[in-house]
Amino acid sequence: MKIGYLQFKPELGKANQNTEKVESFISGENFDLIVIPELANSGYLFNEKEDLKKVSENPETGKYCNMLKRLSKEKKAYIVSGFCESAKEDNKEVFYNSSILVFPDGEYRIYRKTHLFFNEKKFFKPGNTGFWVYDISNKKFGTVKLGMMVCFDWIFPESARTLALRGADIICHPANLVMPYCQNAMFTRALENRVYTITANRVGTDLNGGESLEFTGESVIVSPAGEYLSRASADKEEIFFTTVNPELSRNKCINEKNNMFEDRRELFYFKNTKND
Ligand code: ACM
């Protein structure tokens, strides 16, 4: 199965430009699965909610998501991308920091970021989808189970763990990382769950109203054995693919006596951690 990521620099507030840029990066490529960074259609460093109105979209009708659906169909390939989602709730417009998984038949699934980072709390509602796993299939690679999480979800080990316990073979992880830890931590997320992880990070700097934020690139793919199959540069736009065997994710043994899931002792993992 040929999997990969796009690492690029979205232009803040320029949805049409970002849509064209992503299309031009992937339209000449052949692959089974690609992961594209968080908020790929919008950029990241918003100042006020008004900024989101212009760049967010409904995944059913939005230009960015429809471009992904068209490419997925043309290529008979699966695409995961972060995007700025607009939704109507109680007759009000609300925003989610979301990830879409697009199927070649035009179907799609949405994951909404569970753990919001820093100022994201001013603009987005916390995700309400939870962590779910979806079957993707074709004649070439059979059936593979995909899970999604977005950026800062990585720091909560429960995110990847939940996906792995639900059977994920590959965790797709669109990101806009500003701290340097995640790329190293994904080694542990992949190893402790024995799954493939694809972290598609962005590069470049967003500038807005005198503020600036630099993103750390170094998108990574890690195998269930904790091998780095790729690590991109810190600052360049790059597209990368590699061939993997997702069946490796289904073997949770680290030796003949230890199975990572069967050896778990849930009895001692408290739900309520108050010590009284
Ligand atoms: C982040 O969650 N975008 C840092």
Side-chain angles (χ1 to χ4, degrees), residues 38-39 44 97 113 115-118 120 150-154 173-179 201 213 215:
E38 179 182 10
L39 297 174
Y44 186 86
N97 183 338
K113 185 174 185 177
H115 306 98
L116 297 175
F117 179 71
F118 202 60
E120 289 172 32
V150 173
C151 206
F152 192 54
D153 284 331
W154 75 267
H173 182 211
N176 277 189
L177 295 160
V178 291
M179 297 189 296
N201 193 20
L213 201 54
F215 299 88

Side-chain angles (χ1 to χ4, degrees), residues 148-186:
M148 293 184 276
M149 59 186 206
V150 173
C151 206
F152 192 54
D153 284 331
W154 75 267
I155 210 164
F156 302 86
E158 296 88 347
S159 311
R161 183 61 118 200
T162 302
L163 291 170
L165 289 173
R166 289 192 164 143
D169 298 313
I170 303 177
I171 294 179
C172 301
H173 182 211
N176 277 189
L177 295 160
V178 291
M179 297 189 296
Y181 312 117
C182 172
Q183 294 91 337
N184 295 331
M186 291 314 288

Side-chain angles (χ1 to χ4, degrees), residues 100-117:
I100 187 168
L101 160 62
V102 181
F103 295 68
D105 66 1
E107 282 285 304
Y108 63 88
R109 300 287 179 272
I110 300 292
Y111 164 71
R112 291 170 168 166
K113 185 174 185 177
T114 303
H115 306 98
L116 297 175
F117 179 71

Side-chain angles (χ1 to χ4, degrees), residues 11-212:
E11 298 301 327
L12 182 63
K14 305 223 163 101
N16 287 340
Q17 203 172 313
N18 293 329
T19 302
E20 281 166 24
K21 194 167 184 181
V22 168
E23 179 164 12
S24 74
F25 263 115
I26 61 179
S27 61
E29 303 286 344
N30 280 310
F31 53 85
D32 297 310
L33 169 68
I34 190 167
V35 183
I36 301 170
E38 179 182 10
L39 297 174
N41 63 327
S42 61
Y44 186 86
L45 187 59
F46 302 113
N47 246 341
E48 29 191 300
K49 268 203 179 165
E50 283 299 305
D51 295 348
L52 283 83
K53 276 193 195 290
K54 295 174 221 139
V55 284
S56 56
E57 63 177 55
N58 175 324
E60 190 62 35
T61 54
K63 267 195 190 165
Y64 181 73
C65 291
N66 281 341
M67 178 275 291
L68 298 179
K69 287 177 214 162
R70 181 165 43 75
L71 284 186
S72 166
K73 189 173 174 190
E74 268 169 41
K75 297 181 173 300
K76 298 185 178 47
Y78 294 81
I79 302 178
V80 170
S81 178
F83 76 106
C84 186
E85 184 189 358
S86 153
K88 274 259 150 48
E89 288 177 10
D90 301 325
N91 280 327
K92 268 184 29 206
E93 187 175 29
V94 295
F95 304 101
Y96 290 100
N97 183 338
S98 296
S99 175
I100 187 168
L101 160 62
V102 181
F103 295 68
D105 66 1
E107 282 285 304
Y108 63 88
R109 300 287 179 272
I110 300 292
Y111 164 71
R112 291 170 168 166
K113 185 174 185 177
T114 303
H115 306 98
L116 297 175
F117 179 71
F118 202 60
N119 278 340
E120 289 172 32
K121 293 186 180 190
K122 279 174 29 188
F123 307 117
F124 296 108
K125 282 189 79 176
N128 53 4
T129 50
F131 295 100
W132 294 100
V133 163
Y134 303 103
D135 285 355
I136 66 168
S137 47
N138 71 17
K139 286 202 187 89
K140 199 169 118 200
F141 59 75
T143 298
V144 169
K145 290 183 181 296
L146 284 197
M148 293 184 276
M149 59 186 206
V150 173
C151 206
F152 192 54
D153 284 331
W154 75 267
I155 210 164
F156 302 86
E158 296 88 347
S159 311
R161 183 61 118 200
T162 302
L163 291 170
L165 289 173
R166 289 192 164 143
D169 298 313
I170 303 177
I171 294 179
C172 301
H173 182 211
N176 277 189
L177 295 160
V178 291
M179 297 189 296
Y181 312 117
C182 172
Q183 294 91 337
N184 295 331
M186 291 314 288
F187 162 86
T188 308
R189 294 292 167 271
L191 186 71
E192 71 196 356
N193 293 297
R194 294 194 73 84
V195 292
Y196 286 98
T197 62
I198 309 172
T199 299
N201 193 20
R202 63 160 287 180
V203 289
T205 303
D206 270 1
L207 302 169
N208 198 352
E211 282 184 54
S212 79

